[in-house]
Amino acid sequence: MGFDVHPLVPGHSLVLGGVRLDYDKGLAGHSDGDALLHAIMDALLGAAGMDDIGSHFPDTDPTYKDAYSLVLLRAVGTLLWQRHLVVANIDATIIAQAPRLAPYIPAMKDRIRVALGVEPGNIGIKATTTEGLGLLGQGDGIAAYAVALLEERDEAA
């Protein structure tokens, strides 16, 4: 299981699931702040018994400043492959009061699927709000939860 949250701030682009969204604020972070991909990476690394994304891509390393998180997700996929693991499925939920995310979810699924070599239909992404409650409900940030199932890779693959 993985979780991530970032504040929404003016002057940043909003990127979720590797997709740039049309919105007047973006997620602040050392990389692009893609809370969805960060939650997914932590879920994948955790399922593999590995350290979290902060250990693999530390925010103290200038290499990852403003990094596109889809590139980091591909690197996680490579780490899994080296351990003879493949992604069976991923299920994720994004928590955001705004913007409306439903139109972007198919593109998010596709970017994640391609980056990890996952079969179509094995990526689930949902979006919800907090009905105006709390900091997320006031539009101050976006959070994401993800769970992942890994399988041992067939050595013939």
Side-chain angles (χ1 to χ4, degrees):
M1 178 177 179
F3 172 77
D4 197 46
V5 63
H6 286 276
L8 275 168
V9 296
H12 286 256
S13 295
L14 179 55
V15 179
L16 282 173
V19 175
R20 188 174 308 274
L21 284 70
D22 185 25
Y23 195 57
D24 62 345
K25 295 179 188 174
L27 294 169
H30 184 69
S31 66
D32 60 7
D34 190 328
L36 175 59
L37 292 188
H38 296 177
I40 289 171
M41 286 187 275
D42 267 341
L44 293 169
L45 291 166
M50 300 172 72
D51 293 335
D52 67 7
I53 62 170
S55 299
H56 291 275
F57 313 108
D59 62 7
T60 56
D61 187 336
T63 303
Y64 306 113
K65 177 72 176 140
D66 298 323
Y68 184 39
S69 292
L70 202 58
V71 171
L72 305 180
L73 180 65
R74 286 187 200 111
V76 168
T78 298
L79 292 171
L80 297 174
W81 186 262
Q82 291 168 347
R83 287 184 168 233
H84 305 281
L85 297 168
V86 293
V87 178
N89 62 50
I90 295 168
D91 186 29
T93 301
I94 306 165
I95 304 134
Q97 200 64 38
R100 181 164 155 67
L101 299 175
Y104 299 99
I105 288 176
M108 292 177 194
K109 287 181 179 182
D110 194 55
R111 297 248 171 105
I112 294 164
R113 181 189 67 73
V114 169
L116 295 172
V118 178
E119 292 296 318
N122 290 3
I123 307 271
I125 300 173
K126 297 152 319 278
T128 191
T129 70
T130 62
E131 301 296 331
L133 298 174
L135 294 175
L136 295 176
Q138 295 171 16
D140 292 334
I142 293 178
Y145 287 94
V147 292
L149 178 64
L150 302 178
E151 296 176 331
E152 288 187 19
R153 174 171 45 95
D154 180 3
E155 293 303 318

